[in-house]
Amino acid sequence: MAERGGFGRGFGGRGDGEGGRGGRGRGGGRGDRRGGRRGNKSEEEKWVPVTKLGRLVKSGNITSLEQIYLHSLPVKEHQIVDALTKDLKDEVMKITPVQKQTRAGQRTRFKAFVVVGDGNGHVGLGVKCAKEVATAIRGAIILAKLSVIPVRRGYWGNKIGLPHTVPCKVTGKCGSVTVRMVPAPRGAGIVAARVPKKVLQFAGIEDVFTSSRGSTKTLGNFVKATFDCLMKTYGFLTPDFWMETRFSNSPYQQYTDLLSKQATKAILPPTEEIPPVEV
Amino acid sequence: MGEVILAMPGQWAHDYREKADHYTSKIGGLPDWPDLDIPVSGKLLLCDFCGGKLCLVAQIYAPLSMAERSIDERVIYVLGCMKKDCGSNPQSWRVLRLQRCKQDIESKDEPLKAEQPEEESTSVAEDKPTSQSSSVKVCDDEDSDSDIDLDDLAQALEQAATLASNSKKQDGTKHTRKIVEGPVAKKLIDDLTTPVLPCFYIYSQRNSSEGRMDKANFVGGSSISLKEIEKSSGNESEGESWEGEAYEYDKALGADRTYLKFKKQLDAYPEQCFRYSYGGNALFPVANVPKLGACKICGSARRFELQLMPPLLYFLQEASDDSSNFSIDGWTWLTIIIFTCPKNCCSGTCDEKSSNSCRCIVEEEAIVIQDD
């Protein structure tokens, strides 16, 4: 290996032991200078956001997931969802071994299905394959958090109390499995097979009738079809949405304008119209 | 050659305009040009798109040792434009590689001013690692969250610096020494027209093994334990069987497989400011990558050298809360990947000078990948 990049050599190759010192020293310097808080190194505060949306969430400019859903911004960091939702529960639905035939025998990996949700309109589904069970579960939780979607709930009949069922008949499909959800009166409960029932409970739907078709034995597809069905609840145009939308600035534009104006804190008028996005 | 070196954030500079030397790697601040025969031409410091002045984003000291020759005086400067529209335009970024062509046998022996060595200088002679590490261990033993005693740190660095200079005088040189330099006073660069980003210094860290990544992936507060899994897998009495599952690539609603791999590397070391891997492979967050140009001077295909990572933006943005001279909110890049000429060629003019080594500046290429 004739060539060697010298960047590390230029520093004399400080090893791992310097990591803590550098971090603490840096915190010290900043603390002295700005009087800011010293990092107390809990897991929470170690999050260094990667995307623009992450930076906005970390700085507290975005306070709810609904602002993200309104503009259909892709969520690329699971810490965003952690920061914006309270009490998000997760559950492993299944871990199956998945095998691949190699010349030296079979290679087994584990596939984990995890559903996360807060029981109040937000649910996410994550699927991850990994060589070890624990890695698969951790990865699936992260993927589930990245896929959290809002679930629209409505009424079966009288609009008394809080919404408890799906707003209309919706159907979702994955592979050969189609799942159809039909609004149910209060007290009907979730009438579904065991696997989609779990997902619907996490979503916060209290009463629903379901009907499924296709090879529901492939439970991976079954649970994904249910999830797809829930995604469609907010995509269905009902007369409530007939009113013309008033467009607002996406958080990116809103906060760019604000911060570039050199410390004036006035709310700026919307600068441009954004084309309608599907939520 | 395939090894990746990560740059972690070090000390903040006391003043953003303070002068370091060109052996220092830092983010922000003003560029430290080594003594040049011809000063850096103005055109190179202007934005291609809007014509305004570029500011220094990163200055990286990157010496090389190749088979035929070693270039020890090689610095890479990454310059960017802070105006609103230029942030997303790849034309407004510029990467300069500055190197000394002919190698001097005697390296510069900077006199050590050991009065108040600031912690900023990060080039340390490496021939006496044990003695240095013993002196620096003063700080490593602390694992509490209290403030570091900066006097101890200064003292330790001072000791390391004196050791380095003493050893240089004693042995014959095999490597060129980079000596810890304590600037006498905080000299400021008198350039008030150029925009300046908050400045902090960089130290390097090797990218360690896979075990780190598994730890980093741990999500605190999970309500799942392995025992629960075994219990739930026992509940298969109802005749359900999860059949027909095959391997599936990672996918999320907003993130695809390539991005998730990028994020996994970032999660292993969440504070990495840039990744350096001369001739190695870049970490692309998106699958399609624009095509590279070839080196303008020698025509050879450029090779990956380093890439800037998003935590850099986060740190700069955090620091910019107080001052209001600029806004880097126009910067929404996920990564900036820098490719350099593999032959380290220099512009033709330096062949004429025979005895003295000359310095030349070559413009290299950067690919800016945006975060949509």
Side-chain angles (χ1 to χ4, degrees):
Chain A
M1 205 113 7
E3 290 180 357
R4 190 161 54 87
F7 172 65
R9 179 165 77 92
F11 296 143
R14 287 192 189 178
D16 254 308
E18 305 298 330
R21 175 169 81 83
R24 285 194 297 266
R26 175 168 166 269
R30 281 176 56 217
D32 288 343
R33 201 156 177 259
R34 290 178 235 298
R37 57 162 178 82
R38 294 280 282 112
N40 50 354
K41 302 291 182 182
S42 61
E43 282 295 324
E44 286 278 325
E45 299 185 55
K46 267 193 172 171
W47 172 36
V48 177
V50 167
T51 53
K52 173 119 185 141
L53 188 63
R55 288 192 283 270
L56 286 175
V57 168
K58 178 109 197 229
S59 62
N61 288 323
I62 293 186
T63 46
S64 80
L65 266 182
E66 269 55 45
Q67 287 172 288
I68 296 180
Y69 293 141
L70 180 61
H71 300 282
S72 293
L73 305 172
V75 174
K76 292 189 173 172
E77 299 182 75
H78 70 276
Q79 295 100 333
I80 293 176
V81 173
D82 272 332
L84 293 178
T85 58
K86 302 186 231 341
D87 52 272
L88 202 64
K89 290 190 230 350
D90 48 43
E91 179 163 337
V92 177
M93 305 201 50
K94 185 68 184 175
I95 299 179
T96 53
V98 171
Q99 284 179 336
K100 172 179 162 177
Q101 193 72 25
T102 61
R103 265 199 310 220
Q106 288 174 331
R107 181 176 64 177
T108 302
R109 283 187 279 201
F110 295 98
K111 186 166 175 179
F113 291 83
V114 167
V115 60
V116 313
D118 64 349
N120 196 14
H122 298 104
V123 66
L125 177 69
V127 179
K128 168 97 177 139
C129 291
K131 280 185 234 164
E132 294 167 25
V133 172
T135 316
I137 293 174
R138 271 187 234 123
I141 294 177
I142 292 179
L143 289 176
K145 288 185 180 170
L146 286 177
S147 308
V148 167
I149 54 167
V151 171
R152 185 174 182 208
R153 289 159 296 170
Y155 298 96
W156 172 82
N158 289 335
K159 292 192 173 38
I160 303 174
L162 288 174
H164 59 105
T165 184
V166 268
C168 53
K169 294 180 190 172
V170 283
T171 163
K173 184 170 159 71
C174 178
S176 74
V177 180
T178 68
V179 168
R180 183 184 197 220
M181 301 200 314
V182 168
R186 262 185 225 278
I190 300 177
V191 179
R194 192 180 69 91
V195 160
K197 184 166 180 169
K198 181 75 37 103
V199 179
L200 294 169
Q201 279 170 339
F202 273 79
I205 292 182
E206 294 162 16
D207 315 284
V208 67
F209 295 136
T210 63
S211 150
S212 59
R213 193 203 140 97
S215 168
T216 57
K217 261 197 308 189
T218 45
L219 286 163
N221 282 347
F222 197 5
V223 75
K224 283 190 215 162
T226 320
F227 187 67
D228 180 54
C229 194
L230 289 171
M231 262 205 280
K232 288 186 173 174
T233 56
Y234 259 117
F236 201 103
L237 181 66
T238 61
D240 314 347
F241 293 145
W242 283 357
M243 182 91 103
E244 267 202 49
T245 330
R246 303 193 69 206
F247 299 118
S248 57
N249 267 342
S250 118
Y252 294 157
Q253 276 150 319
Q254 196 179 343
Y255 290 106
T256 306
D257 290 340
L258 208 77
L259 290 169
S260 70
K261 277 271 173 161
Q262 294 192 19
T264 53
K265 298 288 180 184
I267 307 291
L268 300 169
T271 49
E272 56 176 76
E273 294 278 298
I274 303 171
V277 286
E278 298 295 308
V279 170
Chain B
M1 190 163 104
E3 182 194 47
V4 175
I5 300 173
L6 303 173
M8 309 299 268
Q11 280 281 332
W12 288 92
H14 285 262
D15 186 302
Y16 294 156
R17 290 173 185 276
E18 77 183 359
K19 186 169 169 50
D21 60 358
H22 65 279
Y23 296 114
T24 315
S25 295
K26 67 179 185 183
I27 305 284
L30 288 169
D32 299 309
W33 306 111
D35 34 330
L36 296 168
D37 303 328
I38 315 162
V40 184
S41 87
K43 205 159 54 86
L44 284 177
L45 297 179
L46 294 181
C47 172
D48 273 344
F49 194 61
C50 70
K53 277 202 164 186
L54 294 173
C55 63
L56 178 75
V57 176
Q59 166 184 320
I60 300 124
Y61 173 57
L64 284 186
S65 59
M66 301 191 289
E68 320 82 57
R69 54 182 179 152
S70 67
I71 308 177
D72 279 336
E73 306 262 333
R74 183 170 176 270
V75 193
I76 295 183
Y77 300 89
V78 182
L79 305 162
C81 182
M82 286 201 287
K83 300 252 169 53
K84 232 165 55 155
D85 298 320
C86 291
S88 45
N89 192 334
Q91 281 180 345
S92 48
W93 289 86
R94 185 161 284 136
V95 178
L96 299 176
R97 167 172 56 91
L98 201 150
Q99 66 187 33
R100 175 185 289 198
C101 305
K102 296 195 176 80
Q103 184 59 31
D104 275 348
I105 299 181
E106 287 293 311
S107 75
K108 291 195 292 190
D109 192 345
E110 309 276 348
L112 269 179
K113 311 285 171 136
E115 299 159 13
Q116 262 298 5
E118 300 292 337
E119 296 80 355
E120 73 227 19
S121 180
T122 54
S123 46
V124 180
E126 67 179 1
D127 281 35
K128 300 250 172 187
T130 50
S131 53
Q132 275 179 29
S133 59
S134 64
S135 62
V136 176
K137 258 194 193 118
V138 175
C139 312
D140 282 346
D141 287 342
E142 286 189 39
D143 53 0
S144 66
D145 284 345
S146 56
D147 287 349
I148 286 185
D149 194 358
L150 286 176
D151 288 344
D152 278 351
L153 181 56
Q155 215 179 27
L157 273 177
E158 209 180 296
Q159 283 177 19
T162 44
L163 274 173
S165 71
N166 287 340
S167 59
K168 166 142 177 94
K169 288 172 193 140
Q170 286 160 17
D171 323 344
T173 59
K174 204 167 59 161
H175 304 278
T176 321
R177 311 289 172 106
K178 273 72 65 182
I179 300 164
V180 170
E181 197 177 295
V184 181
K186 287 170 260 176
K187 277 194 284 183
L188 301 182
I189 304 182
D190 285 332
D191 183 0
L192 296 171
T193 56
T194 328
V196 171
L197 287 174
C199 179
F200 60 90
Y201 298 95
I202 290 284
Y203 70 93
S204 71
Q205 189 170 348
R206 306 231 168 237
N207 199 2
S208 69
S209 60
E210 295 283 323
R212 190 69 163 79
M213 279 193 248
D214 280 342
K215 262 183 258 164
N217 270 338
F218 170 73
V219 176
S222 158
S223 58
I224 296 171
S225 68
L226 278 175
K227 288 192 186 140
E228 280 180 30
I229 300 160
E230 266 133 49
K231 257 193 274 171
S232 67
S233 65
N235 286 346
E236 283 199 27
S237 48
E238 296 117 51
E240 298 171 340
S241 52
W242 291 57
E243 290 180 0
E245 295 296 337
Y247 182 82
E248 238 179 77
Y249 289 121
D250 293 346
K251 205 175 80 75
L253 270 184
D256 65 343
R257 186 183 166 211
T258 324
Y259 173 80
L260 287 170
K261 287 191 181 181
F262 173 79
K263 179 84 164 71
K264 184 167 137 183
Q265 290 285 338
L266 261 173
D267 281 340
Y269 289 94
E271 294 195 325
Q272 55 187 278
C273 291
F274 57 87
R275 297 170 75 89
Y276 185 93
S277 170
Y278 187 72
N281 296 324
L283 195 61
F284 290 107
V286 294
N288 342 327
V289 180
K291 274 202 190 158
L292 274 184
C295 173
K296 290 192 196 85
I297 300 175
C298 65
S300 45
R302 288 195 168 118
R303 223 168 21 176
F304 170 69
E305 180 152 0
L306 71 132
Q307 66 181 116
L308 302 180
M309 302 296 267
L312 199 160
L313 266 185
Y314 172 67
F315 294 137
L316 288 177
Q317 232 166 24
E318 271 216 314
S320 75
D321 290 337
D322 328 352
S323 60
S324 55
N325 316 347
F326 60 89
S327 76
I328 54 172
D329 291 299
W331 287 356
T332 55
W333 45 267
L334 262 183
T335 181
I336 297 185
I337 310 182
I338 293 166
F339 294 86
T340 56
C341 175
K343 297 197 187 106
N344 284 293
C345 53
C346 49
S347 46
T349 53
C350 76
D351 290 327
E352 296 162 11
K353 307 197 176 145
S354 52
S355 53
N356 298 346
S357 58
C358 67
R359 295 182 187 270
C360 48
I361 299 184
V362 178
E363 193 176 334
E364 302 282 9
E365 180 160 0
I367 290 184
V368 181
I369 296 188
Q370 290 294 332
D371 171 21
D372 350 273

